[in-house]
């Protein structure tokens, strides 16, 4: 018999909520592997969740081995830096269970002192902004940006930004799990947590000289695991307290933080303090992404992919360029496939016109909702115009190709199913015997 907390993990409503989060975050993933797994699970989510729940309730669920994906880091101009981001891709079921564990842990009162702080926003579902103002309706990046704006409104006029290098690879699993175990005193859920953050890679040998950068030992947690931000928040809970002592504010989102202060001297001193505190965990600030010294808020700055300047809150230039580039890439893939019909090539309906426009519509919807709190309407209108222009050129390619096709193949670039091409096992109308025909 499992403990009450452990049972809460495999409660139907928790697993369903976890699946919805995983589905929402992954349905437009750049990884074909992730999208395919989600599509398969979504074919019958109720049955799949029941199966998952049954194994969890029996104690037979196995997180299995994950796959390591070394993602090349790039500089501001898009050139490879020679460094990697060690992403761990667990199975879809494992990710759902990891999320379900997170949902339970963040509601445990004994952990609230570690995670429900007014200045840390990554990895939490509900947050509290500075000065005791609750903001249960917002979380994550929007909440961190709102807290930053609040500080500016309260008079902060100097700012320094910082990024912790290789943050997830520096987190000690044992230190954090000991804190959790001592706080909640529940062996059942603690054992499940240990299994959820343990990393075994099925492709370890193929990773060769970058294998040691993946968190397969005690030091390091998986970037890609829903629990990792929570573990980081617990580890840096004292950092958050010390960094917000006095007249400066340090607003942190996982491995990114911003210092807002009333003077340059105060901001620079707090930045030096951050470096000293992080040395305890063998962590350092990224020289490329961190301020060398504070600057005036009025000159504008970036935090969490958001440009903040007097009067404006908008997606950063890099985020805008990446978004438009991803749309152009989808249109190029589809255009190439459609033009291939002129040479009588086959086309996958997933890259035909209807599916492509549906995919792009989803990308626009998701990106727009991600930046719902930004206020530069003129910027969004300009992005809309660029998208319309790109789609107009794409429709031109479609129309030109379709005009060259025969009547029997004109439907192909649309991606529509042709009734005449469908496989059938038709019944045969019986022949009447001669005697019955002449009767």
């Amino acid at each position: 018999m499992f403990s009450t907390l452990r049972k809460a993990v495999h409660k139907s409503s928790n697993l369903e909520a976890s699946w919805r989060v995983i589905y929402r975050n992954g349905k437009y993933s750049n990884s074909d592997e992730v999208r395919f797994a989600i599509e398969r699970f979504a074919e019958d989510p109720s049955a799949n969740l029941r199966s998952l729940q049954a194994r969890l309730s029996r104690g037979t669920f196995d997180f299995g081995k994950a796959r390591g994906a070394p993602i090349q880091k790039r500089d501001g101009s898009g050139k490879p830096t020679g460094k990697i981001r060690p992403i761990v891709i667990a199975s879809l079921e494992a990710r759902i269970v990891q999320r379900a564990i997170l949902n339970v842990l963040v509601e445990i009162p004994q952990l609230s002192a570690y995670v429900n702080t007014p200045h840390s926003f990554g990895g939490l579902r509900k947050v509290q902004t500075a000065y005791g103002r609750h903001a249960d309706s917002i979380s994550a990046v929007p909440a961190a940006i709102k807290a930053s704006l609040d500080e500016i409104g309260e008079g902060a006029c100097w700012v320094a930004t910082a990024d912790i290098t290789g943050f997830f690879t520096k987190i000690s699993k044992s230190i954090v799990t000991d804190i959790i175990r001592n706080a909640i005193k529940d062996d059942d859920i603690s054992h499940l947590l240990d299994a959820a953050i343990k990393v075994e890679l099925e492709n370890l040998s193929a990773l060769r000289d970058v294998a040691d950068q993946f968190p397969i030992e005690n030091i390091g947690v998986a970037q890609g695991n829903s629990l990792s931000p929570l573990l980081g928040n617990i580890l840096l809970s004292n950092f958050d307290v010390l960094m917000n002592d006095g007249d400066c504010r340090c607003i942190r989102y996982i491995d990114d933080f911003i210092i807002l202060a009333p003077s340059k001297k105060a901001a620079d001193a707090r930045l030096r303090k951050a470096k000293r505190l992080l040395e305890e965990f063998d962590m350092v600030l990224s020289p490329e992404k961190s301020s060398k010294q504070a600057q005036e808020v009025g000159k504008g700055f970036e935090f969490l992919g958001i440009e903040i300047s007097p009067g404006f809150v908008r997606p950063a230039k890099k985020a805008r360029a990446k978004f438009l580039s991803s749309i152009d890439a989808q249109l190029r893939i589809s255009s190439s496939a459609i033009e291939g019909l002129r040479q009588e090539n086959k086309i996958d309906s997933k890259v035909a016109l209807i599916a492509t426009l549906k995919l792009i519509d989803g990308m626009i919807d998701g990106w727009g909702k991600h930046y719902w709190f930004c206020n530069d309407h003129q910027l969004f209108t300009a992005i809309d115009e660029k998208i319309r222009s790109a789609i107009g050129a794409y429709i031109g390619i479609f129309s030109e190709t379709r005009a060259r096709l025969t009547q029997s193949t004109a439907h192909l670039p649309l991606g529509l199913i042709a009734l005449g091409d469908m496989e059938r096992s038709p019944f045969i109308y019986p022949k009447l015997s001669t005697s019955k025909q002449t009767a």
Side-chain angles (χ1 to χ4, degrees):
M1 181 68 70
F2 289 124
S3 68
T4 301
L5 287 177
R6 174 62 175 76
K7 289 179 181 177
V9 172
H10 62 253
K11 190 176 180 180
S12 296
S13 57
N14 188 20
L15 291 176
E16 289 170 4
S18 300
W19 154 243
R20 287 194 295 271
V21 172
I22 299 300
Y23 174 80
R24 184 172 63 247
N25 292 342
K27 64 179 179 178
Y28 297 120
S29 169
N30 291 327
S31 168
D32 293 337
E33 176 185 354
V34 170
R35 291 200 310 274
F36 178 72
I38 286 176
E39 289 170 3
R40 289 290 301 274
F41 199 92
E43 290 174 0
D44 194 348
S46 297
N48 291 325
L49 288 173
R50 285 196 300 271
S51 172
L52 182 56
Q53 182 183 38
R55 280 171 284 146
L56 284 166
S57 62
R58 292 194 302 264
T60 59
F61 175 75
D62 184 358
F63 284 93
K65 291 186 176 182
R67 185 176 65 82
I71 306 300
Q72 284 285 341
K73 290 186 176 181
R74 298 180 180 277
D75 60 21
S77 62
K79 296 180 180 178
T81 62
K83 300 178 182 179
I84 68 160
R85 180 175 289 108
I87 302 297
V88 175
I89 303 176
S91 71
L92 179 62
E93 286 191 337
R95 297 201 300 278
I96 293 173
V97 177
Q98 289 163 354
R99 183 74 197 192
I101 296 171
L102 174 68
N103 292 344
V104 173
L105 291 180
V106 296
E107 297 294 341
I108 298 175
Q110 297 92 319
L111 291 178
S112 62
Y114 295 102
V115 297
N116 291 329
T117 62
H119 307 108
S120 175
F121 298 91
L124 301 178
R125 291 185 297 169
K126 294 182 180 180
V127 299
Q128 181 184 21
T129 58
Y131 309 112
R133 290 193 296 273
H134 286 271
D136 288 348
S137 61
I138 63 173
S139 60
V141 172
I145 297 301
K146 178 63 168 58
S148 301
L149 294 172
D150 286 348
E151 294 300 332
I152 295 172
E154 292 290 331
C157 50
W158 289 86
V159 60
T161 58
D163 175 270
I164 303 173
T165 299
F167 176 63
F168 290 110
T169 66
K170 299 294 185 179
I171 297 174
S172 169
K173 295 184 183 75
S174 59
I175 289 178
V176 180
T177 53
D178 282 348
I179 291 174
I180 295 174
R181 188 174 287 106
N182 292 333
I184 65 177
K185 294 178 172 55
D186 187 307
D187 288 340
D188 284 347
I189 197 168
S190 292
H191 291 325
L192 188 64
L193 173 63
D194 289 339
I197 65 175
K198 182 179 180 181
V199 176
E200 291 186 79
L201 299 178
E202 63 183 15
N203 63 330
L204 187 61
S205 59
L207 295 172
R208 297 187 180 90
D209 54 347
V210 298
D212 61 347
Q213 297 186 48
F214 285 83
I216 56 178
E217 304 294 342
N218 176 55
I219 301 299
V221 295
Q223 189 170 350
N225 187 325
S226 298
L227 288 157
S228 294
L230 173 65
L231 303 184
N233 283 337
I234 293 174
L235 187 70
L236 294 186
S237 59
N238 192 51
F239 172 89
D240 292 330
V241 172
L242 295 175
M243 285 293 292
N244 283 282
D245 181 39
D247 59 356
C248 295
R249 289 294 166 264
C250 175
I251 296 166
R252 185 175 62 82
Y253 187 91
I254 307 178
D255 55 349
D256 289 290
F257 62 88
I258 186 172
I259 296 168
L260 289 155
S263 68
K264 183 178 186 302
K265 181 179 179 180
D268 287 340
R270 198 55 57 103
L271 188 60
R272 292 192 297 271
K273 182 176 183 177
K275 294 176 181 178
R276 291 195 303 271
L277 292 173
L278 291 172
E279 287 176 358
E280 177 185 351
F281 306 112
D282 193 30
M283 295 178 181
V284 298
L285 299 183
S286 167
E288 298 88 6
K289 299 180 181 179
S290 303
S291 302
K292 292 181 174 59
Q293 58 183 359
Q295 69 173 45
E296 293 179 75
V297 166
K299 292 182 177 179
F301 61 94
E302 286 188 20
F303 182 43
L304 303 176
I306 303 297
E307 288 181 9
I308 299 176
S309 59
F312 292 104
V313 179
R314 54 194 170 203
K317 184 177 180 180
K318 185 177 180 180
R320 304 194 302 262
K322 183 178 179 180
F323 172 59
L324 290 172
S325 177
S326 65
I327 287 181
D328 286 340
Q330 293 297 332
L331 292 176
R332 283 196 303 272
I333 291 171
S334 182
S335 295
S336 178
I338 289 173
E339 288 180 312
L341 291 170
R342 301 178 187 180
Q343 286 75 47
E344 299 185 357
N345 294 339
K346 292 184 178 180
I347 185 171
D348 187 336
S349 61
K350 291 182 180 179
V351 296
L353 183 136
I354 292 176
T356 296
L357 292 181
K358 184 177 180 180
L359 174 62
I360 289 176
D361 184 56
M363 292 168 65
I364 295 170
D365 182 62
W367 197 81
K369 287 178 178 176
H370 182 73
Y371 294 106
W372 62 267
F373 56 92
C374 293
N375 65 5
D376 193 344
H377 180 73
Q378 186 175 353
L379 173 69
F380 288 114
T381 300
I383 292 174
D384 282 336
E385 183 56 38
K386 290 182 179 180
I387 294 173
R388 282 194 289 267
S389 177
I391 290 177
Y394 167 71
I395 295 295
I397 293 173
F398 159 78
S399 299
E400 184 180 349
T401 299
R402 193 168 185 268
R404 297 186 181 188
L405 299 177
T406 63
Q407 185 175 357
S408 63
T409 59
H411 65 284
L412 294 178
L414 285 168
L416 290 173
I417 296 174
L419 296 176
D421 294 338
M422 294 177 68
E423 292 186 7
R424 292 182 174 77
S425 298
F427 294 131
I428 299 174
Y429 190 86
K431 292 182 179 180
L432 295 176
S433 63
T434 303
S435 60
K436 289 183 178 182
Q437 288 179 338
T438 57

